[in-house]
Amino acid sequence: MVAKQSISLDLNNHIDVVENISREDFQKYYMIPQRPVIIKHLYGKDAKVYDWTFDYFSKELGHIDVGVFDDESEERKDDRSYKKAPKTMKFGDYLELIQEKPTTKRLFLFNVFKHKKELHEHFKFPNIADKVLTFLPLAFFGGQGAITRIHRDMDNSCVFLTELAGYKRVVLFDPKYSQKLYQYPFSTHTSIDVNNPDFEKYPALREVKGIDCTIGPGDTIFMPAGWWHHIEYNTAGLGFAIRSLSPHIGDRLLGFWQVGIMTHLDEFLNKFLGEKWFAWKTRNAKKRAEGGL
């Protein structure tokens, strides 16, 4: 008798949830070994940052124009990131939209602090990590149903993603599974669909194990360097992320290669070779993933 094929990925790996964690414990159990963790009220329960709401941003910054991404209405490029939003709208109109109804429209890597510098005073990063890039906090807004497709961050930094309103589903995969996830060469992306994996097309996915969790208001999820992440907005949501450099030199060198050299080389070859370059990357992703099967 032939065993029935699984219809979903194995996402049963555990993630710790902690609160009031000391620097010593965070470094020992999570930063040095590069293990994900959910930290409750990282900035302290009384931090002003937890008072940020949709109404607050609509009142303070509703007049500015923001770049909006919408995967459903755009030509998807599985092997690369969108570097510029294809359309703009008033921030206030966008915030009203995502609260009214489900929508795939989202804002990401939005430097809201550039428009209101005093927001930096609303939080102070706790002394649990070193080389924290507090000068570069980035905000994320999305409506119910919006999805940030699976990828690894190009700069290979560690990420502290804090949810302020709403709920997000976060799916994580250890970078040791990069090849089994059919990562495109010269890219930090893959074509797999976390919610509807095609095991016939991508048989190596059977060997992958991940983490499936939800973060809500006051939660910060620590995503170590190079970890793959897929994010869904279960409700309209807003959050922001602070990055820090990995304590491991290898992670930093990989980030330098990816940002400083790899992405530019990929763009050049894509422009020069077009579909032939993408076809080569697709073949090699499959070959690397299934070479050990």
Side-chain angles (χ1 to χ4, degrees):
M1 182 182 231
V2 178
K4 185 177 179 180
Q5 179 175 300
S6 171
I7 60 173
S8 61
L9 290 165
D10 183 347
L11 303 177
N12 295 312
N13 281 356
H14 174 75
I15 185 170
D16 292 342
V17 179
V18 301
E19 189 168 3
N20 299 321
I21 190 169
S22 67
R23 173 185 170 84
E24 179 182 15
D25 283 348
F26 179 75
Q27 290 287 323
K28 178 179 179 180
Y29 296 112
Y30 304 108
M31 180 58 82
I32 300 302
Q34 291 286 277
R35 287 180 56 217
V37 63
I38 295 173
I39 307 171
K40 293 196 168 286
H41 299 105
L42 174 64
Y43 297 96
K45 290 184 178 180
D46 298 326
K48 288 184 179 181
V49 69
Y50 296 124
D51 294 331
W52 293 357
T53 63
F54 294 114
D55 288 343
Y56 173 82
F57 282 111
S58 183
K59 178 181 177 182
E60 298 293 328
L61 296 172
H63 61 284
I64 68 173
D65 292 319
V66 293
V68 177
F69 294 81
D70 187 349
D71 285 342
E72 285 192 353
S73 63
E74 295 159 17
E75 180 184 357
R76 176 168 164 162
K77 300 176 177 66
D78 284 345
D79 62 329
R80 51 210 141 115
S81 301
Y82 298 118
K83 295 192 174 180
K84 184 178 180 181
K87 63 190 69 174
T88 62
M89 61 189 302
K90 293 297 182 185
F91 194 20
D93 293 340
Y94 171 75
L95 294 175
E96 183 177 346
L97 172 66
I98 66 174
Q99 293 177 84
E100 281 182 346
K101 60 184 179 180
T103 175
T104 57
K105 291 181 172 60
R106 57 193 171 91
L107 271 64
F108 72 103
L109 301 180
F110 173 42
N111 190 354
V112 68
F113 303 88
K114 179 177 70 174
H115 303 282
K116 195 170 179 63
K117 292 185 172 62
E118 57 267 35
L119 292 179
H120 282 282
E121 301 171 6
H122 287 196
F123 66 94
K124 181 179 180 181
F125 196 88
N127 184 31
I128 62 170
D130 301 314
K131 297 179 173 59
V132 179
L133 308 180
T134 54
F135 64 90
L136 189 62
L138 296 169
F140 299 82
F141 296 79
Q144 181 182 353
I147 292 178
T148 301
R149 61 189 172 95
I150 184 172
H151 66 285
R152 292 173 53 199
D153 286 352
M154 186 74 69
D155 65 357
N156 216 43
S157 294
C158 302
V159 178
F160 295 83
L161 174 62
T162 299
E163 189 71 356
L164 301 176
Y167 293 84
K168 285 186 178 77
R169 178 194 182 207
V170 181
V171 178
L172 301 174
F173 297 97
D174 192 304
K176 71 182 182 182
Y177 292 118
S178 291
Q179 290 190 359
K180 299 300 181 183
L181 287 168
Y182 293 80
Q183 176 182 357
Y184 289 110
F186 296 90
S187 169
T188 54
H189 292 87
T190 171
S191 288
I192 72 161
D193 184 338
V194 168
N195 290 325
N196 298 288
D198 186 337
F199 290 100
E200 291 187 5
K201 186 175 182 180
Y202 304 115
L205 292 180
R206 296 188 182 95
E207 301 180 35
V208 173
K209 296 179 184 286
I211 295 169
D212 193 344
C213 60
T214 299
I215 58 173
D219 293 340
T220 297
I221 185 167
F222 169 66
M223 298 186 290
W227 276 66
W228 293 85
H229 44 284
H230 161 102
I231 298 175
E232 297 179 28
Y233 286 76
N234 293 341
T235 66
L238 73 89
F240 75 101
I242 295 289
R243 314 175 87 78
S244 75
L245 299 182
S246 169
H248 305 296
I249 189 65
D251 290 334
R252 299 187 202 178
L253 291 174
L254 179 57
F256 174 79
W257 153 253
Q258 291 177 165
V259 173
I261 302 173
M262 183 189 79
T263 185
H264 302 292
L265 182 59
D266 181 51
E267 289 178 353
F268 170 77
L269 291 170
N270 181 69
K271 184 177 181 179
F272 183 69
L273 298 174
E275 288 301 318
K276 290 182 179 180
W277 177 237
F278 180 68
W280 179 87
K281 291 200 291 185
T282 300
R283 290 194 303 271
N284 276 269
K286 183 175 180 63
K287 181 178 179 181
R288 292 191 306 176
E290 299 169 18
L293 292 180

